[in-house]
Amino acid sequence: MKPGKKSKGLRIQTGELKGRLIPSPVSPEGKSNFTPAIIKKSLFDIIESLQLQGRLNLEDSAFIDLFAGSGQMGIESLSRGFARAVFLELAWDRFESLKGVLDKLGKPHLVLRKDAFRFHSGFDIPEKTKVYFMDPPYSFWDKKTEKLKNVVEEIAQNEPGVAAIIVQSPLPLNWEGFTPRSFGRNTLNVRVLA
């Protein structure tokens, strides 16, 4: 890295891995794709609330990130006490980068180069409960909204032990069972199943 040049990445906010840098592969358009800090905080506040209500025990739960990108949300979940994180990322450069980062962390994880539309459930993980997080590229919402909704419905109906499904989108979703929480141009849509 050249002197004076900042590294591309984001630091883990809280927990055991606090302060560690998560590198972000830059897309061909020159953009990195990080979830805003306020969204991340809100998501983990929701998870903490489920814990306090006795609906979720992190030590026996997996966090499943279906469009992992840099992996920041799943890595943050590991830092905050989830037993395992599962990452799906189809883009080769992001997948390779994520594998390297996760191997260095030494935390239980499963990283797969898979298409979340086709391989979104049925993972061989021993944890009793699961939290699914979905943050597809915002460009997907123009033409693939129905496909994204189908993925969510299949998980809710067929996957055992799902405590919550959380979907980040550019606008609130009017999907059955979801409660939207908007933050500027981003919305967290939450469906609690536990």
Side-chain angles (χ1 to χ4, degrees):
M1 186 168 25
K2 292 180 182 174
K5 209 163 176 170
K6 290 187 177 182
S7 62
K8 294 267 185 203
L10 189 73
R11 298 211 178 267
I12 297 171
Q13 289 181 336
T14 301
E16 188 183 332
L17 302 172
K18 182 178 180 179
R20 296 280 282 273
L21 185 71
I22 304 168
S24 174
V26 176
S27 71
E29 300 85 36
K31 297 176 185 170
S32 59
N33 183 25
F34 277 131
T35 298
I38 191 161
I39 294 283
K40 190 188 301 187
K41 181 183 182 318
S42 181
L43 182 144
F44 286 103
D45 285 350
I46 291 162
I47 288 171
E48 186 177 339
S49 174
L50 292 174
Q51 274 184 277
L52 293 172
Q53 295 168 27
R55 298 165 112 177
L56 186 66
N57 175 11
L58 294 190
E59 293 171 2
D60 196 17
S61 296
F63 186 93
I64 300 164
D65 190 347
L66 293 180
F67 297 87
S70 66
Q72 69 162 325
M73 299 302 279
I75 294 169
E76 189 79 33
S77 78
L78 290 170
S79 183
R80 291 172 184 248
F82 271 83
R84 179 181 314 273
V86 178
F87 303 83
L88 269 72
E89 177 53 50
L90 190 56
W92 184 257
D93 58 339
R94 289 179 183 264
F95 168 77
E96 285 296 321
S97 174
L98 185 52
K99 255 185 19 177
V101 170
L102 288 164
D103 288 345
K104 287 178 189 167
L105 293 179
K107 293 281 191 185
H109 68 275
L110 176 62
V111 58
L112 303 166
R113 186 169 175 261
K114 299 275 187 192
D115 180 351
F117 287 115
R118 294 176 55 214
F119 303 96
H120 47 265
S121 61
F123 306 111
D124 185 20
I125 53 175
E127 287 73 26
K128 194 166 106 178
T129 54
K130 301 164 192 153
V131 171
Y132 275 82
F133 176 64
M134 226 167 84
D135 179 17
Y138 276 13
S139 61
F140 282 19
W141 292 102
D142 292 336
K143 295 183 179 171
K144 298 183 180 179
T145 303
E146 205 54 41
K147 279 180 86 171
L148 292 164
K149 186 177 181 182
N150 289 341
V151 167
V152 166
E153 286 308 315
E154 285 175 29
I155 291 167
Q157 291 170 16
N158 303 323
E159 189 67 13
V162 178
I165 302 171
I166 304 170
V167 181
Q168 185 177 330
S169 64
L171 296 168
L173 300 175
N174 188 20
W175 294 356
E176 185 181 343
F178 278 87
T179 303
R181 299 172 187 206
S182 294
F183 304 88
R185 294 179 292 159
N186 303 287
T187 301
L188 275 183
N189 303 275
V190 183
R191 181 172 174 179
V192 176
L193 297 154

